[in-house]
Each structure stands twice: as structure tokens, then as C-alpha cells.
Amino acid sequence: MIRDPESFNILLDTIARFVRERLIPAEQQVVDNDDIPADILNEMRGMGLFGLTIPERYGGLGLTMEEEVRVTMTLTRAAPAFRSIVGTNNGIGSMGIVIDGSDAQKQRYLPRLASGELIGSFALTEPGAGSDAASLTTTARRDGDHYVLNGTKRYITNAPEAGVFTVMARTDLKSKDAAGVSAFIVERDAPGLSVGKPDRKMGQRGAHTADVVFDNARVPAENLIGGKEGMGFKTAMKVLDKARLNIAAVCVGAAQRLLDEALSYALERKQFGQPIAEFQLVQAMLADSQAELYAARSMTLEAARQRDGGDAITLEASCCKLFSSEMVSRVADRAVQIHGGAGYMQEYAVERLYRDVRLFRLFEGTSQIQQLVIARQMMRARR
Ligand code: COS
């Protein structure tokens, strides 16, 4: 499905060099300041990293899913915060508009998301609606040519930076399930919208989440995604199908980095008179990690090709997200183990990456939600 292998390989090489020469050396600065340096953000904009997946006609690179996951696997050799800042524009913060938006909505928002002028964000989760996303209680009441939104969204990635939000809210106020939910494009300066203080998290410094509060926030009716009420939960699920596949790729990149760190350390560190990599018990940890990483990479690429071919990949995306996020946690644990006491120390990258990757089994659907989606799809196919 890759349309122009030569230019795509140039893009991949450029990103690999950027990761090696600019991002990895800046990781400590990102941790210390809890922020991505402005010059790196500018370079990311210049390279088109905010618009990888946005169609070319709206100013993006229009990558296929296979190309997208390969870029992600390369980019996430560096700390996940660098991927996170471009991640919402390429995924959950733009895909609602790309998949279900009207042409006018696409024209208005996608070019600025593709350039990185605007940061996009996806507001589904609430204090009382996490895994049970369809139980959300944020309301959107029609008032003339506007909707009035009330409610609180929680742990919203890139909310502090966002210029535009895709917000799932209940338009059928009597309903309690998915059918009453609609999706809206809400601009940051909508009257009545406020963003809370950035959350203090276990890891992923430099990547921010916060509450987004709607207090009689007024949103033009033309910003209802697709112009039809009641479609918002399905839009969110379609967005998450694609996003989950991308998170699998994030896990592959992070696992590769962890394994590179573990292998380098094992070859260098000497005990009992030889590098610890010579010991078979250490080799077992390296080999198991390599085999699992290869499996995750292969399944993610395969599912991406299927999506490019037009197949529905709900089951496959959840399989990839489940396996890859559990895989990277095991690899991170072994990487720390191979480092011994050093792996517990902040001067070694594995200490930080171990905390960073813990998120991947939680966000965009926990491992248990992926299991549930997979089993439901299996049963549906059989029926
Ligand atoms: N693509 C298109 N439509 C989908 C879909 C998908 N992948 N998944 C579900 N739908 C549709 C269903 O077909 C159903 O529509 P109909 O009633 O017309 O058939 C509707 O959406 C509701 O689906 P369902 O009945 O399966 O919803 P449930 O409330 O039972 O739960 C889960 C669905 C649990 C899978 C969902 O709530 C979920 O993914 N939760 C986790 C949320 C999450 O990932 N949060 C992370 C934060 S966002 S970054």
C-alpha cells in the first residue's frame, strides 16, 4: 500500500536521525522542565509531524495506516512525550473530523491541525465515565443556533495546549446510553470552557493531561460533527479503533528502545569476570523480549495493512493494543532487571521509561476493555 517507497524511506530516515540527534539528547531537559522545548516543537512542525495522517488535500501528509505505524515505531524510540504532543493531531484530536466531519468542518480545522498551529484534543472520559464511556453525563442542550454544554471531562491529553477539542456530549437528555451521544468540535475560546491545572502523573513528563470543564459553554450548532445528533459514540469508537492500532505501534517503538538500552548495558556491565550478556539467564530475558517485540511489530503491521485494504479492524486493533501494551510492560520490567540496582536509579533511562510505559495498558481502553472488545467481536462473528 505504500505509494512512494523512496520518499517514504527518506521521511523515515529523517525521523530516525531527528530521534537520535535531537529528541533522545533532550529527554532529560523535558523531564526537568515538564515541557517540550519550543525549538523542538518548531522542528516537528517543519517536518510535518503534526499532519502525518491528515489528508493531503487539507495540508497533511496523508500517510497510509502502514506508513503511519512505521513512523510511530520510529518516533517512539524517544521518550513518549514527544509522540504525545503530535499524537492527538494525528489521532484522536483530528480523526473525528477526518472520519465523520462535514467538508466545511474539515476545511475549517484540518489545515491548522496539520500544520501544528492548532493542537487537537479528544474529550470522552469523565469523572464517572471511564471504561463505561457510553454512560457519560456531559450534556449538550440545543439553544437556537447553538448548543449549550455542561459537564466535566477528565485526564484529557494535551488539554493544556489544545486549541480545539472533539467533545462527546449527550444531546438526548433522556437517554442513558450510546444512542444519545453526539460529538462536537469545540474551540478553546468558547465562552464557558475552562481547562484545569495539569495533572501530576506517574510518568510521561512533558506530556500533559487536565480536566476540561463546560459551564454553559456555547458551541455553534454547525460544529456538531457530521451535522447529525446521536452519532457521537460511534464516531468516538471509530476514532479509537484507529488510535488503538497506533498505540500498539507506540508500544513497539518504546519496547525497541528499552531493549536497546538493556542490550547495551548487558554487553558493557561485567560481573563474575565477564559481560552479563554472556550469562544465559540474562540472554533468556533479552531473547524473550526480542521475540515478543517481533510478534507485536508483525501483528501491528499486518492489521495496518488490513485497514489500508478497507477491512474493519476493530478486533485486530484491540488484539494489537492488548498484546503490545502488555508486551512493552514485560520488556520494561526485564530491562530494569537486567540493569540490576542501576535500573532503579534515575540516571538510567530505563527507570523513567518503565514508569512511562505503564500508561499504555490503561489509556485508549484498558487491557480488560480490549479483551472485552475482542471477545464481543468473536461472538458477533459467530452469531
Ligand atoms: N465502530 C463503530 N461503531 C461501534 C464500534 C466501533 N468500533 N464499537 C461500538 N460501536 C457502536 C455499536 O455498534 C453500537 O451501535 P448500535 O447500537 O447501533 O449497534 C454502539 O456503538 C454502542 O456500542 P456498544 O453497545 O458496544 O457499547 P457499550 O456501552 O457496551 O461499550 C465499550 C463499548 C466498552 C467497548 C466502550 O465503551 C469502550 O471502548 N470503552 C473504553 C473507552 C476508552 O477507550 N476510553 C479511553 C479514553 S479515550 S482516549
Side-chain angles (χ1 to χ4, degrees), residues 92 122 124-125 130-134 178 233-234 237-238 240-241 244 314 363-365 369 372-373 376 380:
I92 55 178
F122 180 79
L124 174 66
T125 301
S131 289
D132 186 6
F233 189 77
K234 287 184 186 172
M237 290 298 117
K238 286 185 264 181
L240 284 174
D241 277 351
R244 288 168 180 166
T314 301
F363 79 164
E364 301 197 14
I369 287 294
L372 185 151
V373 170
R376 279 187 184 183
R380 184 168 307 164

Side-chain angles (χ1 to χ4, degrees), residues 298-318:
S298 304
M299 72 196 288
T300 304
L301 284 167
E302 170 63 16
R305 286 184 202 115
Q306 274 178 263
R307 188 178 190 278
D308 286 334
D311 293 350
I313 47 99
T314 301
L315 176 141
E316 289 79 4
S318 283

Side-chain angles (χ1 to χ4, degrees), residues 206-237:
H208 305 137
T209 64
D211 280 5
V212 181
V213 180
F214 303 94
D215 180 9
N216 288 319
R218 292 186 71 78
V219 178
E222 69 208 31
N223 282 18
L224 172 65
I225 291 185
K228 198 162 162 227
E229 289 186 5
M231 302 309 291
F233 189 77
K234 287 184 186 172
T235 297
M237 290 298 117

